[in-house]
Amino acid sequence: MLISRDDRLSFEKSNPGRRCVTMPKERLAKASVPAGLARRDPLLFPELAELDAIRHFINLSRKNFSVDTHFYPLGSCTMKYNPKINEWAARREKFAALHPLQKPETVQGMMRMLAELEDGLREITGMDRFTLQPAAGAHGELTGLMLVRAYHASRGDSKRMKVLVPDSSHGTNPATAALVGYRVIEVKSNARGRVDLESLKAVLDDHVACLMLTNPNTLGVFEENILEIARLVHEKGGLLYYDGANLNPLLGIARPGDMGFDIVHVNLHKTFSTPHGGGGPGAGPVGVKKHLVPFMPYPLVEKKGDGVQWAPKPQRSIGRVKSFHGNIGVLLRAYVYLKMIGRDGLLRVSEGAILNANYLREKLRTVFPVAVDEPCLHEFVLSLKQAAAKGVHAGDVGKRLLDFGFHAPTVHFPLVVSEALMIEPTETESRETMDLFIEAMKRIAFEIETEPAKVKNAPYTLPVRRPNDVLAARKPILTYRDLLREEAVAAEARVG
Ligand SMILES: *Cc1c(COP(=O)(O)O)cnc(C)c1O
């Protein structure tokens, strides 16, 4: 990696001559580099002692919230515990040191892992074939809608320009449809948070390429009319796309493939316990029914005899959607999780996720109103619109929770609920942890009534309090010296 002089200046803890490691100079071979190729300037790396480097990174990490340090009830995004055996497997040199261009016969273990992961996902979702390439949920959606477009195009059906999305949908759904060139049409939810069948019928015609649906939807409730919805869409020649980013409540209970969906994506980094957040790598495998297999991206794995090989490129493939074979490390973690937990374990995961969510919902429904007040699946949404009358918004409650040692739930989403607070505990949390969270929520409800300013100005206990989101993006402060300077300027301005 090349580091520019400017970057070098930001390594302010650097001290000329300091070293983490010292190389035994006499044992290093002397290289003779042709004159024209030799480096003219010294490498601009920060110069630090090992202790300085360790403290730098450990102290940075202590400023952060993570699943390993705090309860993280982020609705829709499933932040569940990542068992450390997954990390152990992903770090094994036998996997980590492979090269993506190795010949299949030299990487049969890895290829078998890919094939068995695909088998597992097929069984869990009821689809016929999976590509493991997409690197995230949104990337899976992009792949899926490219498949939709290729499918209709292959039938000479060029009039389909519309993609339907419910008003409770995740923001990536309309964004993806627009990116692929479709016109996005919103479908209204009914009073019980489900797709309103009459609104659906009103916008359904033979210009519809597909309907994108999350089930259970982002309000945490199941679309009971799914079979009727599938029939209506298919009758008009449209396809059904399943946003399975969050499959946590369905494992071993119900399958999108049986509900009539043609394409699904699943987020391994949510449901299958591999870590995510901070823009890190994820995996959003896409599964399809038979009629869409000819359009799939390649390469695909395929079992042959005792071995596994790369399958021939599908006839009308949309092409590659990612370099090489996807984020293998993430796939491997999900594979280990599936193998470890097994078929019965998966069912218990979903039962636990549903039980935990309903425990929290039942305890909190008298504190703040629930958007759809009936038993939920893996998550539920509270509405803080009464608090808004006191000037306190959902985001403020999220901030105040940080002071009590809880990561904020998802706030201000889904958009159909005003002042939404979306909570998903996941199956990996204990009752004790959830009870502490309930206490914190009750305390905040009391504060909203008695001293709303306290909630509005939270958090009080964190190194970063209320960053100006716009300024943080436009004029980021990336080094602590800049921060000290900014604070000095601000202090001076206050003194006058
Ligand atoms: C998280 C999520 C997505 C997007 O997944 P990414 O991996 O973040 O791109 C899409 N839909 C739903 C319902 C989600 O929860």
Side-chain angles (χ1 to χ4, degrees):
M1 190 174 70
L2 285 176
I3 296 177
S4 73
R5 224 163 257 286
D6 284 350
D7 286 339
R8 172 66 170 72
L9 293 176
S10 70
F11 287 117
E12 314 148 328
K13 291 183 177 162
S14 182
N15 227 318
R18 289 263 161 92
R19 288 288 177 275
C20 271
V21 277
T22 40
M23 301 295 235
K25 272 211 179 91
E26 63 285 358
R27 300 227 308 271
L28 294 176
K30 288 260 179 304
S32 64
V33 181
L37 296 179
R39 171 181 292 285
R40 280 183 298 271
D41 303 317
L43 259 182
L44 297 172
F45 281 146
E47 296 173 85
L48 298 171
E50 179 171 323
L51 179 59
D52 298 328
I54 289 289
R55 283 194 180 146
H56 175 68
F57 286 111
I58 296 290
N59 283 327
L60 270 184
S61 77
R62 280 169 33 146
K63 293 189 167 134
N64 208 357
F65 273 62
S66 70
V67 179
D68 286 352
T69 56
H70 297 88
F71 179 38
Y72 211 124
L74 206 60
S76 199
C77 285
T78 317
M79 296 296 269
K80 67 160 90 170
Y81 178 62
N82 165 42
K84 295 304 166 248
I85 189 175
N86 299 352
E87 295 303 311
W88 169 84
R91 280 178 174 75
R92 302 270 294 169
E93 203 182 347
K94 283 185 172 166
F95 291 120
L98 298 183
H99 193 281
L101 293 178
Q102 268 177 255
K103 293 212 163 13
E105 52 280 19
T106 69
V107 284
Q108 279 295 298
M110 183 66 93
M111 293 186 64
R112 176 165 297 276
M113 182 280 286
L114 296 176
E116 289 181 14
L117 176 60
E118 182 184 348
D119 286 347
L121 294 176
R122 280 176 17 204
E123 194 173 332
I124 288 167
T125 59
M127 306 306 283
D128 292 320
R129 201 80 165 85
F130 264 89
T131 166
L132 303 173
Q133 283 183 33
H139 193 191
E141 292 173 35
L142 178 70
T143 305
L145 284 207
M146 287 167 71
L147 291 169
V148 168
R149 193 172 60 184
Y151 170 80
H152 291 306
S154 77
R155 297 154 56 90
D157 192 350
S158 57
K159 62 185 176 305
R160 297 185 183 269
M161 291 310 298
K162 297 198 275 194
V163 166
L164 308 183
V165 295
D167 53 10
S168 63
S169 78
H170 193 268
T172 47
N173 294 180
T176 302
L179 197 68
V180 178
Y182 286 113
R183 199 146 67 79
V184 178
I185 309 286
E186 196 174 88
V187 184
K188 293 263 167 285
S189 299
N190 62 25
R192 289 182 58 235
R194 271 79 167 187
V195 167
D196 183 60
L197 282 184
E198 293 313 312
S199 306
L200 175 64
K201 283 181 197 156
V203 291
L204 201 51
D205 57 26
D206 59 5
H207 291 260
V208 170
C210 85
L211 166 68
M212 300 179 86
L213 209 62
T214 306
N215 195 20
N217 64 26
T218 61
L219 291 160
V221 292
F222 195 79
E223 297 283 354
E224 303 133 327
N225 292 322
I226 183 60
L227 296 178
E228 174 69 359
I229 292 171
R231 193 184 62 76
L232 289 170
V233 174
H234 286 150
E235 207 172 69
K236 293 279 187 226
L239 294 175
L240 219 61
Y241 183 92
Y242 183 81
D243 176 345
N246 191 329
L247 218 56
N248 229 24
L250 289 194
L251 304 169
I253 296 175
R255 311 193 307 169
D258 300 332
M259 300 175 203
F261 286 94
D262 303 283
I263 308 175
V264 316
H265 86 258
V266 295
N267 279 15
L268 301 187
H269 50 289
K270 290 181 183 169
T271 310
F272 299 100
S273 85
T274 106
H276 72 111
V286 171
V288 302
K289 285 286 181 58
K290 280 207 178 63
H291 50 287
L292 289 151
V293 172
F295 308 98
M296 288 185 81
Y298 67 96
L300 296 163
V301 280
E302 165 179 281
K303 289 188 194 146
K304 180 139 195 230
D306 286 341
V308 182
Q309 60 181 20
W310 297 119
K313 179 175 161 182
Q315 304 122 9
R316 300 184 193 159
S317 172
I318 58 169
R320 283 179 176 274
V321 294
K322 172 107 176 65
S323 54
F324 304 118
H325 314 304
N327 284 329
I328 296 279
V330 179
L331 302 175
L332 187 54
R333 287 176 177 89
Y335 173 81
V336 173
Y337 177 73
L338 284 179
K339 285 289 173 191
M340 182 180 68
I341 213 155
R343 191 187 301 236
D344 299 339
L346 286 178
L347 179 60
R348 285 210 309 281
V349 162
S350 284
E351 288 171 349
I354 295 169
L355 187 63
N356 276 1
N358 279 288
Y359 180 72
L360 273 188
R361 184 189 53 79
E362 198 52 42
K363 295 280 184 183
L364 291 175
R365 62 189 281 274
T366 50
V367 184
F368 297 108
V370 185
V372 180
D373 198 7
E374 56 181 271
C376 61
L377 288 172
H378 60 300
E379 65 193 1
F380 60 95
V381 179
L382 300 177
S383 170
L384 269 71
K385 56 175 186 271
Q386 283 149 3
K390 298 243 175 203
V392 177
H393 298 280
D396 300 325
V397 172
K399 294 281 187 199
R400 185 69 180 127
L401 277 167
L402 300 172
D403 284 330
F404 293 103
F406 299 108
H407 191 279
T410 300
V411 295
H412 296 290
F413 175 78
L415 303 177
V416 279
V417 177
S418 79
E419 300 292 339
L421 209 64
M422 185 190 212
I423 299 173
E424 177 180 4
T426 82
E427 74 286 0
T428 51
E429 293 302 330
S430 67
R431 177 164 173 186
E432 293 76 28
T433 302
M434 291 192 292
D435 284 341
L436 287 174
F437 179 74
I438 292 160
E439 283 315 306
M441 289 292 280
K442 286 184 175 162
R443 167 93 178 263
I444 294 171
F446 181 71
E447 287 176 354
I448 292 172
E449 290 305 317
T450 53
E451 41 182 344
K454 188 163 189 181
V455 183
K456 280 182 70 65
N457 294 316
Y460 302 95
T461 57
L462 297 187
V464 177
R465 295 185 52 194
R466 292 248 172 179
N468 179 325
D469 297 343
V470 178
L471 265 188
R474 298 259 163 82
K475 207 166 152 280
I477 297 173
L478 299 174
T479 73
Y480 77 97
R481 280 194 194 152
D482 283 349
L483 189 63
L484 295 181
R485 213 174 294 134
E486 291 276 325
E487 278 173 2
V489 172
E492 229 164 73
R494 274 200 299 277
V495 174

